[in-house]
Structure formats: C-alpha cells, structure tokens
Amino acid sequence: MTDLDILHFEQLKKDVQAQYLKEYNPSYDEISKWKGIDIIYFQEDLRKKAKGNISEKSFYTYFKSSPVSKLPRIDMLNLLSIYAGYDSWYDFKKNHLFAGELLTDDRDLNDEEMKALEKTVSSALNLHTTEEQPKKQESDAEENSVLQIIDTENQTIEQKTINLKTSEKAQQKPTKKSFQRAAWIAATSVFVILLGLLGFKDEIFQKTYTYHFTDADRNLGVQSDIEIKVIKENESPILYRIKPGQPFIYSSRDKALKMKISSAVYENLEVNRNLENAPEDETIELKPDDYKMALYYFSMKDINGENSEELIKQKRKQLENLISNEAVITQVYDSDIYGLESLDKQKYITLVTTPTTALKNLNVIEMKKEKGKIVSIKFKISTHENNK
C-alpha cells in the first residue's frame, strides 16, 4: 500500500457519494455523516447496481474517517469502483492518475503459478543428489554383502542360545489351576453386566413426553418455526428448533421441565411442568403477537402490485397503534466506532415498513410492553460482506 493508493481511495469515496446522490436524497450529502436508514438504502443500491454488498462495520471503518489509515480488501475496492462506473479498482486508478504517477499492473502469483515455481526450484536442488545416489547404492551393496557373510557365520550359535533360554522359561512356568480360570471368567462376566447397566441406565429409567403446538386464535396447528429453550438448574440452556407442524419430543428422567418458547409471529411463553404427574402427550396454545406478525410480513413478503400502497398504509397504522409514542427505540451496530443509535417512533416504523432485503436480517434483541403498548425496542440488523 502506498500514500497514492490512500489518495485514490479518497477520490473513489467521493465518486461513490456522487453516484448515490444522483438518485437519492440522504439526511446529509456528505457520505461520512450517513447512518441508520441512509446506510441501509445505500447497501440496497450497491446490491442492485454492483451485485455485491459491504457490511455496516466496513462502512463505519472506511467511510467515517478521512483519510483512512489502511485500504479495504481488493474485492471491496473493485465493488465500489464498479458502483462508481468503472471496470475495476485498477481501471479507476488508471483514470485518476496524479502528476508523475507511473501505474503498473503488479499482480501477485496465484496458487498454481507458485506451485509450479516451487516444483522447478525443488527439481533443481535435487538434481545433484540424484546423480550421486547410484554410487552410494553400490557402496551400500558391498557393505551389506560383507555383513551378510558375518551374520551367517554367527547365526547357528545365536539360535542355539535362544532355544536354551526358551526351554528354561517354559519349565519355570507353573501350571494354572482350574478354579483360578473359573474365577477369572466369573469376574469378567459380572464386570460386563455392570458396564451394560451403566451404559443404558438413561434409556431404562427415562420417560418420553410429546408436546404439540396450536394457534390460540384459529385453533389450528402452528405454521411457523418454533424455538424451545430447555432450562436446567446449574446448566446452560439447550436449544431445540421445531419445524412447522412438528411436535416437540423430549426424553428425560428429571422430575421437572422448564421451557421458554419463542417464534417469529407468536408471543413468548414460559412453560413449567412437574413431570412426576404430567401427561406424556400434551397440546400447548401459542398466542399470535400483532407486532411480530407485522414485522414478519414485511421481512418475508415482496410488496408489489396494485394494492401495495394500501397494504403498507395498513401495516403502518397497525404498528402505530402497537408502539407507544414515548417508546425508547435503539439500534445496535456491529461497529467499534458507532455502537448504538436512538430512533423515534416514526423513523422506526418507516424503517420496518420499507421492503428491503436488509429486513430479512433484522433481529429484535429485547422488547418490553406495558398496558398493551410497546414501550421499549432494542434491535439489530446483521449484515454480511458480499451478501448478494
């Protein structure tokens, strides 16, 4: 990396900013001041025009400070150059040469070229060794022939000595008594039985319980994924994911069961059961959550067609009734530079009712209700580099 590369990247950031301002009106014209929904709309435009994406963390790292201390990866440089209207990062630099700058297309060797080079060098180094090997083999053959003659001369004496020692040891071994053998067999049998009981004790003493889930309003089976956390004392929670329409089958020899049930469209539910007298087959009702359903609708549906505007108005009105005017709404970022941002009610509703691919990665970290109104929301939009 050179100082000229840093200057070129600062030029590229200005071109990216100019390209975005041709079609959009963010909160600020200067790209270093963008945040929240402006970054989401920029990521959406980048996916559409350059077929790629940069994470929120990378945006804050490379666009919030000027000049930067290091360059992004080459794939990010190429992506931003394509968005600005160039073929690649190299093409962008070629069209923005400084006075006296000599631009060379210096590329590193790829893996295949590196392997070929290593093979050539290795062959050259081993050439001298392979030429000397025949001479060494000839000398080794002569030494082996001499050793073989010496070994055959001593072989008869050594064999006689070994046979004498073996016969002496055989005479010293006492004969085993029959009751010792029987005792050994009996002890082994008892050990095998005890080992089998220890290995299958869970299967012998545990019971199996089956739980079905239905929609409390429609009295039908739940048609969305369910997450179940089984809480045990002094242990980390065990997470189970249940597909739509499937029961939760749980085998245990514990006396109690504590479950926390959550879903994308139903209210969270905590279930406690005394397994000593609990039924082995049970149905649990889940109550639909209007807020989650509205959010799920926009994150999973593609809003288009003649009635799209009417549908958006309907969902906005539904969220306005659910969220308190004094609600505390906080967005959490994957960034060391900018960690939290507060949003007012209207900005948040605009964010979650604008159909974008970013909504598929929106996760509600925490939500609180009081008297039927949502008074606190903490959420995060997870983003991944090159997420097309």
Side-chain angles (χ1 to χ4, degrees):
M1 180 187 73
T2 65
D3 292 338
L4 290 179
D5 287 330
I6 295 292
L7 295 176
H8 279 306
F9 181 59
E10 294 299 322
Q11 289 178 325
L12 177 59
K13 286 160 62 174
K14 293 180 180 179
D15 279 24
V16 168
Q17 172 184 302
Q19 177 66 32
Y20 184 77
L21 292 176
K22 289 180 182 179
E23 301 181 23
Y24 297 92
N25 295 310
S27 304
Y28 301 92
D29 288 345
E30 189 176 342
I31 195 170
S32 63
K33 296 182 179 179
W34 295 355
K35 59 183 180 180
I37 196 168
D38 294 327
I39 299 175
I40 292 175
Y41 288 156
F42 169 67
Q43 290 173 321
E44 196 72 18
D45 198 44
L46 189 65
R47 292 188 195 100
K48 183 169 61 178
K49 293 179 179 177
K51 308 301 181 185
N53 182 50
I54 63 172
S55 69
E56 203 168 69
K57 183 177 181 180
S58 294
F59 184 91
Y60 277 95
T61 301
Y62 297 109
F63 286 88
K64 284 292 183 179
S65 58
S66 181
V68 296
S69 59
K70 63 177 181 178
L71 280 179
R73 299 198 314 260
I74 186 63
D75 56 341
M76 180 174 169
L77 292 170
N78 287 330
L79 180 67
L80 294 172
S81 300
I82 293 170
Y83 179 79
Y86 299 88
D87 293 336
S88 63
W89 167 241
Y90 178 78
D91 184 45
F92 174 82
K93 291 197 295 184
K94 186 172 65 176
N95 285 274
H96 293 77
L97 291 176
F98 295 104
E101 180 183 4
L102 181 62
L103 186 64
T104 57
D105 189 7
D106 49 348
R107 298 175 302 165
D108 295 332
L109 293 175
N110 58 33
D111 292 342
E112 293 183 358
E113 291 171 338
M114 185 63 71
K115 289 180 181 178
L117 181 60
E118 290 176 354
K119 185 176 181 181
T120 303
V121 174
S122 177
S123 300
L125 292 175
N126 292 333
L127 180 60
H128 181 69
T129 305
T130 53
E131 289 177 352
E132 292 183 353
Q133 283 180 353
K135 295 180 180 179
K136 186 176 180 181
Q137 290 176 356
E138 291 177 2
S139 61
D140 289 345
E142 292 177 358
E143 292 178 1
N144 289 337
S145 62
V146 174
L147 290 174
Q148 286 176 358
I149 295 172
I150 296 173
D151 289 344
T152 52
E153 291 175 352
N154 297 332
Q155 186 174 7
T156 306
I157 298 173
E158 290 177 355
Q159 285 180 350
K160 289 181 179 179
T161 305
I162 292 171
N163 291 335
L164 289 172
K165 290 182 179 179
T166 305
S167 60
E168 289 175 359
K169 289 181 180 180
Q171 292 174 0
Q172 293 173 358
K173 287 183 179 181
T175 57
K176 294 184 178 181
K177 298 181 180 180
S178 59
F179 75 90
Q180 291 178 332
R181 186 174 184 180
W184 171 253
I185 294 174
T188 303
S189 302
V190 171
F191 176 76
V192 170
I193 293 172
L194 291 175
L195 187 63
L197 289 174
L198 290 174
F200 294 96
K201 63 183 175 64
D202 289 340
E203 286 76 6
I204 295 173
F205 298 107
Q206 71 181 5
K207 292 178 65 175
T208 300
Y209 304 88
T210 303
Y211 298 94
H212 306 272
F213 302 95
T214 60
D215 188 306
D217 290 350
R218 296 181 296 171
N219 198 27
L220 297 173
V222 171
Q223 296 303 312
S224 67
D225 290 351
I226 297 174
E227 288 191 354
I228 300 175
K229 285 185 179 179
V230 174
I231 312 297
K232 291 188 176 184
E233 189 175 356
N234 300 325
E235 292 185 19
S236 300
I238 304 173
L239 179 63
Y240 298 89
R241 287 187 173 88
I242 309 301
K243 293 295 182 182
Q246 291 184 355
F248 173 49
I249 300 175
Y250 182 70
S251 298
S252 176
R253 50 192 183 88
D254 295 336
K255 296 181 179 181
L257 172 63
K258 181 178 181 181
M259 298 184 292
K260 290 186 177 180
I261 304 170
S262 60
S263 169
V265 294
Y266 291 96
E267 292 183 357
N268 295 340
L269 179 65
E270 184 173 310
V271 176
N272 293 280
R273 291 289 181 269
N274 181 357
L275 297 182
E276 291 183 329
N277 52 18
E280 295 183 9
D281 194 284
E282 184 180 350
T283 299
I284 298 175
E285 290 187 343
L286 300 181
K287 187 177 181 181
D289 188 310
D290 293 336
Y291 166 78
K292 287 185 178 181
M293 283 193 167
L295 200 61
Y296 178 79
Y297 183 85
F298 276 91
S299 64
M300 301 303 291
K301 298 291 183 180
D302 183 14
I303 308 297
N304 52 33
E306 298 180 358
N307 299 324
S308 60
E309 293 185 5
E310 187 63 31
L311 288 172
I312 292 175
K313 289 180 181 179
Q314 179 184 346
K315 294 300 176 183
R316 285 183 65 91
K317 185 176 180 181
Q318 187 177 9
L319 289 174
E320 286 175 356
N321 292 332
L322 289 168
I323 301 174
S324 170
N325 292 331
E326 289 78 29
V328 178
I329 304 173
T330 307
Q331 182 175 359
V332 181
Y333 293 96
D334 283 329
S335 172
D336 298 332
I337 302 173
Y338 200 86
L340 299 173
E341 180 184 358
S342 296
L343 284 77
D344 59 30
K345 174 180 175 179
Q346 294 304 320
K347 280 188 177 181
Y348 177 73
I349 292 176
T350 300
L351 173 63
V352 298
T353 56
T354 303
T356 64
T357 55
L359 283 181
K360 294 182 179 179
N361 297 323
L362 188 146
N363 298 310
V364 177
I365 301 173
E366 183 181 80
M367 182 178 66
K368 295 181 180 179
K369 287 184 179 181
E370 289 182 5
K371 298 179 181 179
K373 292 282 188 178
I374 298 173
V375 296
S376 174
I377 301 173
K378 184 182 288 186
F379 72 97
K380 174 181 176 182
I381 298 177
S382 302
T383 54
H384 304 280
E385 299 244 357
N386 300 325
N387 182 22
K388 297 184 180 180

